[in-house]
Amino acid sequence: MLRHLRPRADSGTGDSAVTHVERMPARAGVTAEWPRWVPEELRDTLTRRGVAAPWQHQARAAELAYDGHHVVVATGTASGKSLAYQLPALSRLLADPRATVLYLAPTKALAADQLRAVDGLALSGVRPAAYDGDTPRTEREWIRQHSRFVLTNPDMLHHSILPGHARWAGFLRRLAFVVVDECHTYRGVFGSHVAHVLRRLRRQVARYGRTPVFVLASATSGDPAAAAGRLIGLPVEAVVEDTSPRGGVTFALWEPPLLPADRPDGDGVVVPATRRPALREGDGRPADGDEPAPDAIRRSALRETADLLADAVAAGVRTLAFVRSRKGAEVVATMARRSLDEAVPGLGDRVAAYRAGYLKEERRSLERALLDGELLGLASTNALELGVDLIGLDAVLICGYPGTRASLWQQAGRAGRAGGEALAVLVARDDPLDTYLVHHPEAVFGRPVESTVLDPSNPYVLGPQLCCAAVEAPLTPADLELFGPGANDAVTALVEAGALRQRPTGWYWRHSGRPEVDLRGTGGAPLCVVESATGRLLGTVDPASAHFLVHPGAVYLHQGVSYVVDELDLDDACALVHAEEPDWSTHARDVTSLSVVSVRSYVDAGPVGLFLGEVDVTSQVVSYQRRRIGSGEVIDTRPLDLPTRELRTVAVWFTLSPPALAAAGVDVADIPGALHAAEHAAIGLLPLVATCDRWDIGGLSTAAHADTEAPTVFVYDGHPGGAGFAERAYGTAASWLRATRDAIAGCRCETGCPSCVQSPKCGNGNNPLAKAEAVKVLDVVLAHLPE
């Protein structure tokens, strides 16, 4: 299949785009006997559906779960993890007509897919049902009263089931199994919130006299037993040996070709911003999903992916392209459709975009069209990364490293699900991490998958979750042990703040309404995007991205159609748009300031200091650029009047003494650019050591920070209270910064480019930057920091 994908003839680079090809041979499966407790009805049904016997890892996990052990099965994509939890759960439902099962998925699409699978078995008395935000009110009471296999998500468990646990009493007092699917996705702040939602579930179920068994399914990950244990707060056994068969996989690393300096690729030219005392990346939120092009150095990954997708569809190769942002997915689909229609009119209709923010009916229609073969190509965000069963895909294109090796392999595993040969291609974006990876294949193929990072003790998570628990039932001293370290201090602080009232029988919620707690850290309910002329709801945008994506004047894309935002009403959570095809794109710009609140830990290394602590970050989207489509010419910069956003979070930072920099040959005038370049590259390389991606974190650098009184580089978590990423960076600072130094020094450019020190979200227009001096800065840091 790789022969169908070639660099464009006009690039002048031949076949040099492929930097490495890894061949993973086919693997035979190893089966096991059916567990003795599997009812004949279930065994016969599965046999008729082509499951002659379970794979060994499925049987092992099922046996542990049925025997009452909490278990996580952490094997590769398409290894049949579903059967590992379906066997014990469905067997128990058939053996005990009163038992119930709760299934949790991180996305509605995955829950809907699992509902189709369980419903298709047509087992007597199971009555599976999905309970999510799309479930009609008229059906919800029937589900509470009659369904014995409820499929939902952590958000509904948090917002509906647990607050209304009295109405779910019949279901909860008979709960035998809790299935947590794709549990590796519960990381950072979201994972920390879900960890407490599951503790709240355990607390309520225990009040009804039940102790359900937890069965978790995960992509291959580092130390899955420990990660699953942190998530549910209980000891967990892991099944990690994958005994399922697998077709051969060809995995190519693809670097878009260099372009002549006079041939811009349409991403635009950034006009340098006025130099500011503090130079920084953004607050951990993508501005628009486009890639920057301060210089037309490489063909953009978006355009390259669109061309590869068009080539694959033209060759009849059923292909899924993963793109990191909503706007990027729309752009890739639009460009691929345009190319195909130019070659064969009407062929572009077989390509579409898929992303969060679409209405339910649109998402289901696209899923069916891909399964039925009506669509040959789909450009998707990671909304389709998880286990929705897309049988028959031949190839996967991954536009930019997805942030973790776990996600990379999860996305690559979407191809070849029927056991046939598969192709996966990682198309590198022009940034330090992607460039590093395509030239260091051992970092992709020779390393274990990362461990999942979550921190349930985060006070910005723990406090609000304790308030939610107190609403459901008064907290008792025994409950505090369930919620882990820090719960006693958190309750004391909540009493002092007036949120809880202490009584002899426990701690009570003092207010009439429920606390507003957003599990996913998106800032609340999504904003609606509405067409002004018709009132038609086009889609939704999460609040954290609204200032960047739907500010007044922004160009908003939906299924290849362009709209321009007329008004953003933050109070009513609505953006009004009108259809328009402008010849420009929009790019939001923001400014950020940072102050140190406290220091948790530090390393005194002479002229170098390494710190971990709390910081306050203030950011504001202040303007946007309009760039000409095609040439990237900046038409103008228009001001915006949007409110500031404040974030207290956790940061890692290092300081250097001016004499040490002078001794290393860094002139005083070059210090701002050297620190700025080092900051950009350090942020780009952090996903090598932490389960984050570039958009999870932000940074700031300055030649003299008011709080440190020294040249300083900050890297901070883009979530309230932190997400564990800065702690991981602090703990592995030497290896993280060494990889950063090597990535900068190894880049062939002269003064800095997106492959090393330029950033796709720099609020200062990537100015100033001093590449050579950044290497000297990092040499000073590494010479003094302990390994």
Side-chain angles (χ1 to χ4, degrees):
M1 282 183 283
L2 190 57
R3 70 181 184 276
H4 296 301
L5 309 180
R6 295 295 182 194
R8 290 290 163 171
D10 62 358
S11 68
T13 62
D15 291 341
S16 61
V18 178
T19 62
H20 179 80
V21 176
E22 190 82 5
R23 173 66 186 168
M24 285 158 277
R27 178 186 66 207
V30 182
T31 60
E33 295 292 328
W34 288 103
R36 52 177 173 69
W37 39 261
V38 176
E40 184 177 354
E41 178 186 355
L42 177 57
R43 187 171 61 246
D44 291 347
T45 300
L46 291 170
T47 301
R48 287 194 301 271
R49 296 175 67 87
V51 183
W55 308 118
Q56 279 188 356
H57 68 275
Q58 293 172 327
R60 170 65 178 156
E63 289 277 15
L64 286 168
Y66 200 81
D67 289 343
H69 300 279
H70 308 295
V71 61
V72 56
V73 53
T75 52
T77 309
S79 60
K81 292 186 285 286
S82 298
L83 189 64
Y85 54 74
Q86 287 174 1
L87 278 179
L90 295 175
S91 294
R92 182 61 54 84
L93 294 184
L94 292 173
D96 179 357
R98 293 181 53 78
T100 59
V101 171
L102 182 66
Y103 168 95
L104 299 172
T107 65
K108 295 178 184 178
L110 178 55
D113 183 74
Q114 286 298 303
L115 174 61
R116 286 192 292 268
V118 176
D119 206 27
L121 297 175
L123 298 173
S124 58
V126 172
R127 299 187 294 275
Y131 187 85
D132 58 33
D134 295 330
T135 305
R137 296 280 177 184
T138 54
E139 296 180 14
R140 296 189 179 192
E141 182 60 30
W142 183 93
I143 292 171
R144 284 192 290 266
Q145 296 296 326
H146 302 290
S147 177
R148 299 177 58 221
F149 196 123
V150 172
L151 301 97
T152 187
N153 53 63
D155 307 85
M156 287 298 286
L157 183 59
H158 164 65
H159 288 293
S160 179
I161 296 176
L162 289 174
H165 62 84
R167 290 175 294 170
W168 286 86
F171 182 90
L172 295 176
R173 67 166 47 100
R174 296 178 282 123
L175 189 61
F177 287 98
V178 178
V179 177
V180 184
D181 206 354
E182 305 289 3
C183 66
H184 64 281
T185 63
Y186 300 124
R187 61 180 179 86
V189 169
F190 179 40
S192 302
H193 273 297
V194 172
H196 286 300
V197 171
L198 294 176
R199 285 160 175 76
R200 286 162 50 201
L201 173 65
R202 288 174 48 206
R203 175 176 177 248
Q204 289 302 327
V205 173
R207 295 178 69 237
Y208 293 111
R210 298 293 293 184
T211 54
V213 174
F214 283 80
V215 187
L216 303 97
S218 169
T220 305
S221 65
D223 201 359
R230 282 195 302 273
L231 184 64
I232 68 171
L234 294 166
V236 177
E237 295 192 44
V239 175
V240 298
E241 184 179 358
D242 190 342
T243 58
S244 64
R246 184 188 66 192
V249 179
T250 300
F251 202 133
L253 303 182
W254 187 291
E255 185 174 41
L258 289 165
L259 291 169
D262 60 347
R263 298 226 1 241
D265 196 36
D267 281 335
V269 179
V270 176
V271 176
T274 302
R275 181 177 298 194
R276 301 184 180 94
L279 307 167
R280 87 284 179 267
E281 282 210 359
D283 64 352
R285 300 293 179 185
D288 51 34
D290 280 349
E291 300 166 63
D295 298 295
I297 296 173
R298 290 198 179 275
R299 209 159 187 269
S300 79
L302 290 177
R303 187 174 294 274
E304 194 81 346
T305 302
D307 287 344
L308 294 176
L309 180 60
D311 290 345
V313 170
V317 178
R318 192 175 298 184
T319 304
L320 177 61
F322 283 105
V323 189
R324 291 166 59 89
S325 71
R326 295 182 180 188
K327 183 174 180 180
E330 296 279 4
V331 168
V332 166
T334 299
M335 289 192 292
R337 281 196 294 260
R338 186 179 300 131
S339 296
L340 289 166
D341 282 334
E342 289 174 357
V344 181
L347 188 56
D349 293 340
R350 304 196 72 183
V351 174
Y354 183 104
R355 60 172 175 81
Y358 283 176
L359 302 181
K360 173 187 175 183
E361 294 76 17
E362 289 179 296
R363 297 195 305 268
R364 300 296 174 263
S365 175
L366 289 167
E367 292 164 16
R368 286 193 300 270
L370 188 63
L371 289 169
D372 297 342
E374 179 183 341
L375 287 176
L376 274 179
L378 200 62
S380 172
T381 59
N382 63 0
L384 282 180
E385 176 182 317
L386 304 180
V388 179
D389 197 4
L390 300 176
I391 297 172
L393 291 177
D394 302 309
V396 164
L397 306 173
I398 304 170
C399 181
Y401 183 63
T404 66
R405 285 182 290 276
S407 289
L408 179 73
W409 290 112
Q410 191 80 349
Q411 292 181 5
R414 305 301 278 156
R417 286 194 149 234
E421 289 287 316
L423 171 67
V425 180
L426 172 62
V427 181
R429 292 173 305 145
D430 212 0
D431 77 8
L433 181 56
D434 285 34
T435 302
Y436 180 88
L437 291 174
V438 295
H439 290 286
H440 295 81
E442 71 280 1
V444 177
F445 303 107
R447 292 191 181 183
V449 175
E450 309 91 345
S451 299
T452 302
V453 176
L454 66 147
D455 180 17
S457 64
N458 180 339
Y460 287 84
V461 173
L462 179 56
Q465 287 291 335
L466 287 171
C467 290
C468 293
V471 173
E472 293 154 10
L475 290 167
T476 67
D479 292 332
L480 300 189
E481 184 177 347
L482 173 68
F483 288 97
N488 282 293
D489 291 341
V491 164
T492 300
L494 291 169
V495 170
E496 292 175 354
L500 299 182
R501 175 182 287 115
Q502 186 172 9
R503 289 288 184 261
T505 53
W507 291 270
Y508 289 75
W509 176 244
R510 294 189 60 173
H511 306 286
S512 56
R514 294 181 56 244
E516 292 292 330
V517 179
D518 176 22
L519 298 188
R520 297 178 186 261
T522 57
L527 279 80
C528 297
V529 181
V530 177
E531 189 173 23
S532 303
T534 64
R536 180 167 66 102
L537 176 64
L538 298 176
T540 60
V541 174
D542 67 82
S545 302
H547 290 206
F548 294 97
L549 297 181
V550 290
H551 59 76
V555 176
Y556 176 81
L557 292 175
H558 184 83
Q559 279 292 3
V561 179
S562 294
Y563 298 85
V564 174
V565 179
D566 300 313
E567 179 185 353
L568 172 60
D569 189 331
L570 294 172
D571 292 332
D572 289 338
C574 180
L576 299 177
V577 304
H578 69 270
E580 184 179 337
E581 292 286 342
D583 63 350
W584 66 80
S585 59
T586 52
H587 306 258
R589 309 290 296 276
D590 67 332
V591 296
T592 298
S593 62
L594 181 150
S595 61
V596 176
V597 177
S598 64
V599 174
R600 290 186 186 176
S601 180
Y602 70 94
V603 175
D604 184 350
V608 173
L610 178 71
F611 300 84
L612 177 73
E614 286 78 28
V615 297
D616 281 336
V617 181
T618 302
S619 62
Q620 182 180 21
V621 174
V622 295
S623 63
Y624 69 98
Q625 287 182 342
R626 297 193 304 165
R627 300 182 196 165
R628 190 82 62 191
I629 294 174
S631 69
E633 171 195 359
V634 176
I635 301 171
D636 57 21
T637 299
R638 299 191 171 191
L640 290 169
D641 183 19
L642 293 171
T644 60
R645 291 177 166 180
E646 296 183 355
L647 173 73
R648 176 161 292 186
T649 186
V650 179
V652 58
W653 65 94
F654 61 83
T655 61
L656 305 98
S657 70
L661 290 175
V666 181
D667 293 337
V668 172
D670 290 328
I671 289 177
L675 297 176
H676 195 199
E679 171 215 331
H680 282 182
I683 287 173
L685 271 293
L686 183 54
L688 279 179
V689 299
T691 52
C692 64
D693 64 30
R694 188 170 201 141
W695 304 110
D696 287 322
I697 48 185
L700 180 142
S701 58
T702 175
H705 192 272
D707 295 327
T708 66
E709 300 181 342
T712 310
V713 172
F714 293 90
V715 176
Y716 58 85
D717 291 353
H719 300 275
F725 308 136
E727 284 95 335
R728 179 67 174 163
Y730 179 79
T732 60
S735 58
W736 164 43
L737 295 176
R738 190 172 305 283
T740 301
R741 186 259 179 216
D742 292 346
I744 300 173
C747 186
R748 292 176 294 173
C749 73
E750 293 185 8
T751 60
C753 68
S755 296
C756 56
V757 299
Q758 291 176 346
S759 166
K761 55 176 184 165
C762 180
N764 295 83
N766 285 293
N767 180 60
L769 293 174
K771 175 187 175 182
E773 285 70 21
V775 175
K776 296 176 183 178
V777 165
L778 292 169
D779 282 339
V780 172
V781 174
L782 292 167
H784 291 88
L785 273 186
E787 288 292 336

